[in-house]
Amino acid sequence: MKKLVVKVELHDDRDRRKAMRVVSSFEGIGSLAMDSKDNKLTVSGNIDPVKVVNKLRKSWHTEIVSVGAAKEDDGKKDEGKKEEGKKNDDQVANLVKAYQTYYPMPITYYYVLHEETTSCVIC
C-alpha cells in the first residue's frame, strides 16, 4: 500500500470532480481524498505514483508533496514489514526522481504581438 499526496491547481468544483474521476479510474485505489482548502489530493492503495501524476499533469499543474507507505490502522507491525516498507519507499523515491528527470514541468512561453506606431507622417 502506497500513499501519494499531490498538490493540484484546480480552479473550481468542475475541475475537482474531473481530477477525482481521472484518478479514480486507476486500478488498485484504496482511498481517495481531496482537501479543497489546500488543493491537495491524497491517494492510497496499490498504485503507481508516476502514472497517477503523469495523468494529472496532462490537464493541471501538479506537484508531488509526498510519496510513502500507507500507515496501518492496527498499530501492530512486524520488523519484516518495516524493512520491506523502507525498501519500497526507497524504490518509489528513486522512481519519482527518475520521473522528474525525464519529464520536467513544461515551460509555457507567451508571445505578445506589439504593433509599432510610427511618428513620421508623409503628407
Side-chain angles (χ1 to χ4, degrees):
M1 296 277 292
K2 294 177 187 149
K3 181 178 178 183
L4 170 69
V5 180
V6 181
K7 185 173 183 180
V8 184
E9 287 188 15
L10 302 171
H11 302 290
D12 55 1
D13 289 334
R14 183 175 179 220
D15 282 345
R16 286 184 185 90
R17 283 188 303 235
K18 279 184 165 181
M20 296 282 275
R21 189 178 311 129
V22 166
V23 175
S24 66
S25 67
F26 286 99
E27 292 182 17
I29 300 275
S31 68
L32 183 62
M34 174 70 111
D35 182 13
S36 299
K37 184 177 179 183
D38 296 333
N39 285 336
K40 289 186 181 178
L41 181 66
T42 305
V43 183
S44 64
N46 294 326
I47 56 167
D48 185 11
V50 176
K51 288 182 181 178
V52 173
V53 172
N54 191 20
K55 190 75 166 183
L56 286 171
R57 281 190 177 167
K58 287 183 180 180
S59 299
W60 302 282
H61 178 76
T62 307
E63 295 178 18
I64 299 172
V65 176
S66 68
V67 177
K71 295 182 180 179
E72 299 285 332
D73 292 335
D74 301 343
K76 300 177 184 176
K77 292 187 179 179
D78 295 336
E79 291 180 10
K81 287 185 180 179
K82 285 185 179 180
E83 291 176 9
E84 183 180 324
K86 288 181 182 179
K87 290 179 185 176
N88 288 339
D89 289 343
D90 292 338
Q91 290 175 350
V92 171
N94 289 337
L95 284 173
V96 170
K97 287 179 184 176
Y99 176 81
Q100 290 175 345
T101 302
Y102 290 109
Y103 299 103
M105 289 297 299
I107 300 172
T108 306
Y109 294 99
Y110 295 99
Y111 177 73
V112 178
L113 184 62
H114 180 74
E115 296 181 14
E116 294 183 23
T117 57
T118 58
S119 61
C120 180
V121 178
I122 300 175
C123 297

